[in-house]
């Protein structure tokens, strides 16, 4: 149980385009999902916390207009990188918490974004 | 500033030895603790969670929690080369508190 999927696993796009990444909890309802990015050999960096039906809470320094997050249902959250630039190239990972009263996070497999 | 501190390593152990990974946390309100394993180029995978003082064993893994010392550890017995990865320690509180991740300790198990 507690499986989280992410799609796509890898994406290459041109500078200036927008990219949407989907995160799904497959066998549980996730009231809260999290979006992280990770640069090579660096630690996880939390970008935002996404709660179903409400606006995402962004971490300091993360541009909410550039990284659009939508958590439309208890099993789906999306991250859209708008007007992508080469510096947005990174490994984006989502996670989902499996209940309101637990802090256990299960991670998706990640999406590797390359912006040319 | 709530923090989770880990030695970045690398920690190198021979195959078959016990690997000991340590973590300290600053928030005394933290009630839940987690160890994740992350292979290079992959996302973190949950190994263990621990909520109470003492030891919790699962196969070759033992998590230890000491809330008085604000200290969490992970022991890996009979280490295998396949255990070579970065191990992330995380601490959080129940009811919506943010989970704080450490920067991770790189473990190398030499064959």
């Amino acid at each position: 149980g507690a499986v989280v999927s992410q799609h796509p696993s890898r994406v290459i796009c041109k500078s200036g385009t927008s990219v949407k990444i989907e995160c799904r909890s497959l066998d549980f309802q996730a009231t809260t999902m999290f979006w992280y990015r990770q640069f090579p050999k660096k630690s996880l960096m939390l970008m935002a916390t996404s709660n179903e039906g409400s606006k995402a809470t962004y971490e300091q320094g993360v541009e909410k207009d550039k990284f659009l997050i939508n958590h439309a249902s208890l099993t789906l959250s999306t991250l859209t990188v708008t007007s992508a630039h080469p510096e947005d190239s990174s490994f984006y990972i989502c996670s989902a918490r499996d209940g309101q009263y637990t802090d256990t996070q299960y991670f998706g497999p990640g999406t590797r974004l390359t912006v040319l | 500033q709530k923090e989770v501190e880990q030695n970045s390593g690398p920690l190198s152990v021979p195959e078959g030895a016990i690997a000991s990974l340590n973590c300290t946390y600053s928030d005394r309100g933290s009630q839940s603790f987690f160890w994740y394993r992350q292979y290079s180029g992959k996302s973190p995978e949950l190994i263990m969670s621990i909520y109470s003082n003492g030891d919790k064993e699962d196969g070759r893994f033992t998590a230890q929690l000491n809330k008085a010392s604000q200290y969490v550890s992970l022991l890996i017995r009979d280490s295998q080369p396949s255990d070579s990865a970065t191990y992330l320690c995380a601490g959080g509180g129940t009811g919506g508190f943010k989970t704080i991740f450490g920067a991770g300790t790189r473990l190398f198990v030499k064959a």
Side-chain angles (χ1 to χ4, degrees):
Chain A
V3 178
V4 178
S5 71
Q6 245 180 281
H7 178 79
S9 58
R10 188 178 296 267
V11 59
I12 300 173
C13 70
K14 292 182 179 179
S15 186
T17 60
S18 294
V19 174
K20 179 185 283 189
I21 302 170
E22 291 188 349
C23 177
R24 294 181 184 272
S25 56
L26 297 185
D27 52 0
F28 65 99
Q29 292 185 330
T31 53
T32 305
M33 290 184 171
F34 304 86
W35 287 96
Y36 296 84
R37 67 187 295 181
Q38 187 174 38
F39 293 105
K41 300 190 186 300
K42 299 295 184 183
S43 59
L44 287 174
M45 187 192 86
L46 178 65
M47 299 175 67
T49 302
S50 166
N51 290 296
E52 184 267 337
S54 62
K55 291 183 178 180
T57 301
Y58 290 81
E59 295 299 300
Q60 191 172 7
V62 178
E63 300 176 59
K64 62 180 180 181
D65 293 331
K66 179 167 185 61
F67 299 100
L68 300 178
I69 292 172
N70 183 276
H71 193 157
S73 75
L74 287 171
T75 60
L76 173 65
S77 177
T78 61
L79 167 68
T80 301
V81 183
T82 62
S83 187
H85 288 95
E87 57 265 31
D88 298 323
S89 299
S90 187
F91 191 40
Y92 291 87
I93 314 171
C94 74
S95 71
R97 197 157 60 195
D98 70 347
Q100 186 177 359
Y101 301 103
T102 174
D103 271 327
T104 305
Q105 290 185 35
Y106 297 93
F107 286 87
T111 297
R112 191 161 302 283
L113 171 64
T114 302
V115 184
L116 302 177
Chain B
Q1 180 80 1
K2 299 175 182 177
E3 294 181 338
V4 173
E5 299 284 346
Q6 293 182 257
N7 188 318
S8 62
L11 172 66
S12 184
V13 300
E15 184 175 0
I18 296 175
S20 178
L21 304 164
N22 306 311
C23 167
T24 58
Y25 61 95
S26 64
D27 182 14
R28 284 196 172 274
S30 296
Q31 299 177 42
S32 50
F33 302 89
F34 309 92
W35 282 99
Y36 291 84
R37 176 177 61 199
Q38 185 175 24
Y39 291 113
S40 180
K42 303 294 185 182
S43 66
E45 171 192 11
L46 180 68
I47 297 175
M48 292 190 70
S49 58
I50 186 167
Y51 303 92
S52 303
N53 277 327
D55 295 359
K56 179 180 179 182
E57 186 174 320
D58 183 359
R60 295 187 296 113
F61 299 98
T62 299
Q64 299 174 318
L65 174 59
N66 184 323
K67 290 186 178 181
S69 300
Q70 295 177 243
Y71 179 87
V72 192
S73 66
L74 179 70
L75 301 178
I76 306 175
R77 289 181 300 282
D78 189 24
S79 295
Q80 301 297 310
S82 59
D83 294 325
S84 298
T86 297
Y87 289 80
L88 305 175
C89 172
T94 56
F97 289 95
K98 186 186 301 184
T99 300
I100 307 298
F101 284 84
T105 298
R106 286 178 294 150
L107 171 66
F108 290 111
V109 181
K110 298 175 293 185

